[in-house]
Amino acid sequence: MTGSGEHSDRIRGRLAALLVDASTRALTASGGRAGGVYLRCATPGMLRLAVLVGLPGRLFRPWWRLHVDRPFPAADAFRTGTPVVLPNAMAMVRHYPQFAAGLPFRFGASYVPVPGTRGTLGVLTVMRPAAPEEVDELPERDRLTQLAEDLGAGLLDLADGDELAVVWDDEPLCARPPAASPVAGRVGRFTWDPVTSTVRADDRLHDLLGVQPEEFPGTAQALADAVAPDDAPHLLSALSDTAAGKPPAAPLQVRAPDGTPRLLELWPPPHTPEPPLVSGVVLDPGPAPSADGAADQLPQGVFCVDRLGLIVYANPAAARLMGLERRRLLGLPVDEALPWLGRPPYDDHLRGALLSLRPVKFHARHPAAGRDEPGESDWLDLSFHPGPDILTCTVAPASRMDVPAELPDVRLTPTAAPEAGHSVSAAPSMAPLYRPIALAIALTDAVTARQVSAVVTQELLPAFDGRRLAIYLLQDRHLYLAWETGFPQGFLAPFDGVGLDAHLPGVETLTTGRSLFFDSMRQLASAYPGIPLDAIEGARAFLPLIASGRPVGSCILGFDRNRGFSTEERTLLTALAGLIAHAMEKAQRYDSEAALARGLQQALLPRRLSAHPQVETAGRYLPGTQGMDVGGDWYDVVEAGDGLALVIGDVQGHGVQAAATMGQLRSAVRAFALGDHTPDEVMSGTNRLLIDLDPGQFASCCYLRLDPATGRAQVARAGHPPPLLSAPDGRTRVLDIPGGVVLGVDPLAHYPVAQLRLESGAILALYTDGLVERPGSDIDEGISALRLALEQARTAAGRRGARSLAGVADRLTSTARHAVDRPDDVALLLATRRTGCPSGQ
């Protein structure tokens, strides 16, 4: 919801509270594990996750943003306005295979639309343990529907009944669900500046102490009184000792105001030139502190993660095995403290444990602190054991390089035998962890060749622990480099444009259709004597990109170390290369069609505007950033008898068809203008022509005939935004000009003509709706904003002594020019009368 200042902050706070309350009520009503709310965002056709309750937000980032047309359950619920209920994984696979591929875990879910008065505002979601496969419905559907209706009413009340104001454009708010048992293991962090005695506490510590941030004085004494009033002197003394470099040897055991035990762990300030800060963690272990004490003595590593992914406990063995100090673990999100655990493929295991409530066991390789060479000790055996509120994780050194047979989805396959004199470290088979369908789904959203290459970099390399990628595309029997990452700068340049007769692995993999795998650079050099090699040792894989029997190019994967490729891995990589080839072939067609459409549009837009010694004009056109980047907006200046015709128009839609229709209309308007027809005759004639052409499209248009000598003008509108007129003194107004319906709808439509006068030094602005429409706001607000921007542009130009109309046009289109998501085209035409001024574009 939009607003400014303190009022906006209050509205946002009330909105957040409303969304969190609705989500937690939904969890209570359904026995769910996690839930949240999707709301519309400023980008048309997109939903954003506004609230996520009971799950770590960053771990579910791929589902933060969702297009309403995607085959996902939340999108269907929003689009159709009816609930989508998926009791179990079988129902998900049956109805939403793409969604099931992204979250292949045993859980059920409900997606209930949040209704407004005229449409759907968002979707209330609940995830819960999976129901038996024979269950087709969940009993809480009616209760969730009522909660969604209550939420919709609350959102409308908060927005004063304006549905368009109910939007969300930020990251999701993450909240804890209602606890299934008494809260335990809460942890908060703080820093203390011994110079100023200032304490800065995080939100979790405020929550643990039961004080609001604005109520906490932020002093060491206030911290001690809030944490352990009876032990405050002992705590303050420990802070002073820690600042002097003498921290307590073990965590301090203190008592909360109610007598329950708390642990305080302190770390001395680093030796830096900055002011020294003491860091600390307060742990409220809950009703069973003795259990944590017992776990501290275990040789096996143990750490605990709450429902939001925060590490609330870690024993010394866990910290040692993962090469970290305990202070690097406690109170931090698991993917921040252990980044490798938050990346593929291990993030999938975390998601599975959090969603399905089933134990998960797997091997993981972690960055080995202080080791130059990787070895068997880099591998850990991890187990996740989900509970109602806490995820308990055990860590132990991997004693063998295979995993029990009951876990085939994470087993390690043996590698090929190493060459004599070369060690090839064991590598995991990533085939089961990296599902080919995941890459296929990601490639469906890739449109251009660069986007396809970026998807391969983001999805394929991490799955196989690769570090380098090169993609060559075939053109005129030569291979040209289309994408590279990770290779030494300039190393691949000599291979760009090589012919198909070259004796190179990247060529032969395409000409033979066989993938080539080399466990080491020595093996590659032996197979291709004299081939230039980069200085980085490691394995290489050369994959043919062949789509439906047609050669497309070749793909090269590079690894940082020697390794073998199992039969399973070779088969999978070859299959994935086929997916990449099909996506790349589609992208090449798109690039060709887009280039054709852009060329067509550029040919149809005027290269220069008709000149007149007393009239200066300036035009700007910006294509939309979505789709083909072409559309149907146009502007023109045409000689009309002894005057000038200024015209601007907008054909419905985008793409080649819209550009072609625009070209026909522009030609028709020019013909009528050259015949010096009146504005209403131009509009009526163009309207009938468009109806006769029957392209299935309509268009808006504004036509103005100007007498340069007197400044008198006649203007007619066909469903187009009204012009703006900025007087010589800078005051700008919206012209109240009557208009007819859009062109191409009613053959008998009438287009009234209005009179106006363009004084010398005044500026007339014609524009299309892409410049003034904003998602979630009324077009009149956008027109008012443009009117103000024109006044400000004239004021700024006056201060600089500049009189360039082109500079004003650039200023008015600056915001649209730098927009990342610009759904519509933008056209602008400015005109001013001056004695003896030049005219042009």
Side-chain angles (χ1 to χ4, degrees):
M1 298 188 184
T2 58
S4 61
E6 293 183 4
H7 176 70
S8 175
D9 292 339
R10 287 196 301 270
I11 293 295
R12 177 179 171 81
R14 291 170 58 192
L15 172 61
L18 180 65
L19 295 173
V20 171
D21 180 66
S23 300
T24 52
R25 286 175 180 268
L27 295 188
T28 302
S30 63
R33 291 279 294 163
V37 178
Y38 280 96
L39 292 179
R40 296 174 302 181
C41 64
T43 304
M46 298 298 297
L47 299 176
R48 270 192 179 273
L49 186 61
V51 163
L52 182 62
V53 176
L55 290 173
R58 290 188 294 188
L59 197 61
F60 290 82
R61 183 181 290 272
W63 296 272
W64 283 8
R65 201 164 179 260
L66 183 65
H67 198 283
V68 296
D69 290 330
R70 290 296 301 275
F72 278 40
D76 274 3
F78 180 86
R79 192 175 58 254
T80 63
T82 57
V84 175
V85 180
L86 303 169
N88 45 50
M90 184 61 69
M92 291 186 191
V93 172
R94 185 164 58 246
H95 298 291
Y96 297 96
Q98 288 190 19
F99 180 70
L103 292 170
F105 315 117
R106 299 184 181 181
F107 70 99
S110 298
Y111 303 84
V112 184
V114 178
T117 55
R118 297 191 301 271
T120 305
L121 302 176
V123 179
L124 177 66
T125 71
V126 170
M127 287 168 276
R128 50 165 289 166
E133 292 186 1
E134 61 270 15
V135 174
D136 294 325
E137 188 59 88
L138 294 175
E140 65 270 10
R141 173 170 174 159
D142 291 341
R143 284 176 288 171
L144 293 179
T145 300
Q146 182 60 55
L147 287 171
E149 292 175 357
D150 294 343
L151 175 59
L155 290 171
L156 290 177
D157 181 63
L158 195 58
D160 294 328
D162 183 7
E163 290 195 10
L164 297 179
V166 182
V167 295
W168 187 274
D169 280 299
D170 298 323
E171 293 186 358
L173 299 173
C174 294
R176 285 180 174 80
S181 58
V183 177
R186 293 185 300 163
V187 64
R189 299 173 71 94
F190 68 89
T191 59
W192 174 58
D193 186 341
V195 177
T196 63
S197 192
T198 301
V199 172
R200 295 186 180 277
D202 66 7
D203 291 339
R204 297 186 291 274
L205 184 55
H206 289 134
D207 181 57
L208 186 153
L209 299 178
V211 297
Q212 296 297 322
E214 61 273 12
E215 299 172 354
F216 182 58
T219 64
Q221 185 65 55
L223 175 70
D225 290 342
V227 172
D230 292 341
D231 297 316
H234 184 37
L235 193 154
L236 291 172
S237 177
L239 283 173
S240 299
D241 289 346
T242 303
K246 297 179 292 183
L252 295 178
Q253 298 189 20
V254 295
R255 293 285 173 179
D258 61 359
T260 58
R262 281 176 174 165
L263 297 178
L264 179 71
E265 194 157 0
L266 300 174
W267 295 281
H271 298 289
T272 62
E274 286 80 16
L277 297 177
V278 172
S279 300
V281 168
V282 178
L283 174 65
D284 186 346
S290 59
D292 288 348
D296 280 352
Q297 309 307 315
L298 292 175
Q300 184 184 38
V302 178
F303 66 95
C304 298
V305 178
D306 72 3
R307 295 290 298 166
L308 293 189
L310 300 176
I311 299 178
V312 297
Y313 169 77
N315 72 351
R320 183 180 66 256
L321 285 167
M322 291 182 289
L324 297 170
E325 300 176 43
R326 288 182 75 181
R327 63 174 176 168
R328 294 278 304 276
L329 296 174
L330 291 179
L332 292 178
V334 64
D335 61 332
E336 182 179 327
L338 305 170
W340 53 273
L341 199 53
R343 290 194 289 261
Y346 311 125
D347 56 345
D348 248 1
H349 298 307
L350 268 173
R351 282 190 284 262
L354 288 165
L355 286 174
S356 66
L357 279 181
R358 292 173 174 267
V360 176
K361 299 181 180 181
F362 61 97
H363 275 47
R365 188 206 295 147
H366 71 101
R371 301 188 191 122
D372 295 328
E373 294 295 331
E376 187 172 327
S377 58
D378 294 333
W379 290 89
L380 297 175
D381 186 359
L382 283 88
S383 299
F384 292 160
H385 302 273
D389 300 307
I390 296 293
L391 186 71
T392 301
C393 311
T394 62
V395 188
S399 58
R400 49 182 297 182
M401 293 310 296
D402 60 343
V403 178
E406 64 268 19
L407 298 171
D409 58 323
V410 294
R411 65 184 173 85
L412 308 178
T413 57
T415 59
E419 302 175 52
H422 288 264
S423 64
V424 182
S425 56
S429 170
M430 305 303 292
L433 296 176
Y434 184 83
R435 301 172 302 278
I437 191 172
L439 177 62
I441 292 171
L443 288 173
T444 60
D445 291 329
V447 177
T448 66
R450 289 190 63 82
Q451 289 173 346
V452 170
S453 301
V455 166
V456 175
T457 301
Q458 297 163 4
E459 299 287 343
L460 189 63
L461 282 184
F464 288 87
D465 202 23
R467 293 294 181 268
R468 282 169 288 285
L469 171 73
I471 294 180
Y472 287 83
L473 297 180
L474 180 65
Q475 183 179 352
D476 298 329
R477 295 188 58 78
H478 288 75
L479 286 173
Y480 294 93
L481 184 63
W483 180 275
E484 66 168 305
T485 182
F487 285 94
Q489 186 175 4
F491 170 72
L492 295 177
F495 304 103
D496 192 16
V498 298
L500 294 186
D501 55 349
H503 182 55
L504 295 170
V507 172
E508 295 190 0
T509 188
L510 180 62
T511 56
T512 64
R514 291 185 295 105
S515 298
L516 303 176
F517 299 93
F518 301 95
D519 297 347
S520 66
M521 296 294 280
R522 176 179 175 180
Q523 193 180 77
L524 174 60
S526 176
Y528 292 88
I531 185 175
L533 301 175
D534 59 283
I536 304 175
E537 274 291 331
R540 296 290 185 270
F542 297 82
L543 311 174
L545 301 182
I546 299 175
S548 303
R550 295 184 297 275
V552 175
S554 58
C555 176
I556 304 171
L557 298 179
F559 303 85
D560 277 349
R561 59 180 181 174
N562 298 344
R563 57 157 291 170
F565 296 90
S566 68
T567 301
E568 184 180 25
E569 286 179 310
R570 293 172 184 239
T571 302
L572 178 61
L573 281 169
T574 302
L576 293 177
L579 291 177
I580 299 168
H582 280 281
M584 193 63 76
E585 186 183 48
K586 180 187 71 174
Q588 287 180 303
R589 289 198 302 268
Y590 176 91
D591 288 340
S592 299
E593 293 171 3
L596 174 63
R598 285 191 292 268
L600 171 63
Q601 188 177 47
Q602 291 300 318
L604 294 175
L605 287 172
R607 292 182 178 274
R608 58 180 299 274
L609 301 178
S610 295
H612 193 282
Q614 291 180 277
V615 179
E616 179 184 0
T617 59
R620 295 292 182 268
Y621 172 81
L622 302 175
T625 58
Q626 301 173 4
M628 279 281 197
D629 286 352
V630 295
D633 290 20
W634 91 94
Y635 61 86
D636 209 349
V637 179
V638 189
E639 296 181 7
D642 56 356
L644 281 181
L646 309 176
V647 60
I648 196 163
D650 182 2
V651 176
Q652 168 214 14
H654 302 273
V656 176
Q657 180 61 48
T661 302
M662 175 269 283
Q664 292 172 313
L665 293 186
R666 175 173 174 256
S667 298
V669 172
R670 286 185 67 88
F672 285 121
L674 290 171
D676 201 15
H677 290 271
T678 61
D680 58 322
E681 291 173 340
V682 174
M683 291 289 95
S684 298
T686 306
N687 176 50
R688 289 191 295 270
L689 174 64
L690 183 57
I691 292 174
D692 290 341
L693 291 173
D694 191 24
Q697 295 172 301
F698 58 83
S700 67
C701 187
C702 183
Y703 181 93
L704 182 143
R705 188 193 183 283
L706 173 68
D707 182 347
T710 65
R712 293 191 179 90
Q714 296 178 311
V715 58
R717 286 196 305 137
H720 202 81
L724 301 179
L725 183 61
S726 182
D729 61 3
R731 288 180 298 175
T732 305
R733 61 190 175 95
V734 180
L735 296 178
D736 184 14
I737 295 174
V741 300
V742 293
L743 306 175
V745 175
D746 180 7
L748 302 178
H750 173 65
Y751 299 95
V753 176
Q755 309 288 329
L756 63 91
R757 184 171 184 274
L758 184 63
E759 299 179 71
S760 179
I763 295 179
L764 178 73
L766 307 179
Y767 53 92
T768 57
D769 56 11
L771 189 58
V772 293
E773 278 190 326
R774 299 290 183 272
S777 62
D778 190 83
I779 190 174
D780 290 337
E781 297 177 11
I783 295 175
S784 297
L786 180 63
R787 180 192 64 77
L788 181 61
L790 180 54
E791 282 189 353
Q792 294 172 341
R794 296 206 66 181
T795 301
R799 285 198 301 265
R800 296 192 304 267
R803 302 182 61 84
S804 169
L805 200 63
V808 175
D810 289 337
R811 188 179 179 96
L812 294 182
T813 56
S814 174
T815 299
R817 188 181 305 275
H818 295 96
V820 177
D821 293 324
R822 187 172 58 247
D824 204 357
D825 306 347
V826 170
L828 173 70
L829 178 62
L830 302 180
T832 187
R833 285 179 61 239
R834 294 195 186 100
T835 303
C837 72
S839 177
Q841 199 170 345

